[in-house]
Amino acid sequence: CLEIDPKPESVLCFHTFPPLSVGKYGIIRGSANSSCDNVKITISSSGGHASCPQKCGDPIVTAAALITQLQTCVSRDNNPMMPAVLTFGSIHGGATPNTIPSSTVIEGTIRTVYPESRSTIKESIKRICKHVGGAMRTCVEVDFMDTSVPSAINDNAIVDKAENAIKKLFGADAISIMPFPSTGSEDFALFTEKLPGAIIRFGTNDPENAATMLGVHNPGVQFDDRSLFYASALFCQYVLDYLS
């Protein structure tokens, strides 16, 4: 879509945002969302019987050690002034209680706002996995999967145009300045790598409906349909202002 003729000049994105009430907009300049790298760590050994752990490495014990030890990538290797989050959301290994399995797999995500943190944490993960695996008589393979997205960087000029459009439609009180970038990631960042753009958050909660205040990926969350009016109205006003 970036190769069509005429080529796009800029991009604008809206994202639902339950922390804000319907009719409110969240804006931020500069870094808006963190990058996201999916990591898969495969731990393997010969496997064996639970009664004889001395005869083989234990992938499950290694996985347990790695899950805790790898948090030092954030707490000790990363600059504390640069936000970063490492979370493991999946672990699979073993099928019976009396067997040491031959493999265990853990998967997670690395989220960083700054490119320096992104490269630092990746190198730290590889180093720790290598040495923890060696110390525990297991082989550890690290795979950074190709589903990664970079940080989303808002162009200040685009944010200014969106802010002016909000004020024109609903007044300055409709604007909420976001104090920090989100550690959630956005594939919209693939657009802001190529073109000046911005992501604007629009409120979707109703104070009288607790379900509208749950997190965006919570299975019980509800989005107040009235918020679509505010997103659509701002899109239209932004385009009219841009073209004029």
Side-chain angles (χ1 to χ4, degrees), residues 113-196:
V113 173
Y114 296 94
E116 299 95 320
S117 296
R118 193 179 187 187
S119 59
T120 294
I121 290 176
K122 283 185 175 182
E123 289 303 314
S124 299
I125 288 174
K126 289 188 286 188
R127 185 192 74 244
I128 291 172
C129 284
K130 175 183 177 181
H131 292 292
V132 169
M136 305 189 78
R137 297 180 292 141
T138 56
C139 177
V140 181
E141 296 180 4
V142 179
D143 179 23
F144 298 107
M145 291 173 278
D146 59 2
T147 52
S148 304
V149 295
S151 300
I153 309 298
N154 279 356
D155 182 273
N156 290 347
I158 303 299
V159 175
D160 290 343
K161 288 182 173 65
E163 184 176 17
N164 289 335
I166 296 169
K167 291 177 179 177
K168 186 179 295 185
L169 287 171
F170 304 112
D173 289 344
I175 296 171
S176 177
I177 304 298
M178 311 304 296
F180 309 108
S182 169
T183 50
S185 61
E186 251 307 315
D187 53 11
F188 178 69
L190 298 171
F191 288 89
T192 58
E193 269 194 324
K194 307 288 186 182
L195 294 171

Side-chain angles (χ1 to χ4, degrees), residues 15-16 18 111 184-186 214-221 223:
H15 198 297
T16 53
R111 300 171 189 273
S185 61
E186 251 307 315
L214 299 174
V216 288
H217 290 276
N218 187 303
V221 69
F223 299 99

Side-chain angles (χ1 to χ4, degrees), residues 72 79 82 84 92 101 107 112-115 139 143 148 183 220 224 231 236:
T72 62
N79 186 328
M82 297 180 177
H92 294 278
E107 295 181 78
T112 61
V113 173
Y114 296 94
C139 177
D143 179 23
S148 304
T183 50
D224 193 311
C236 293

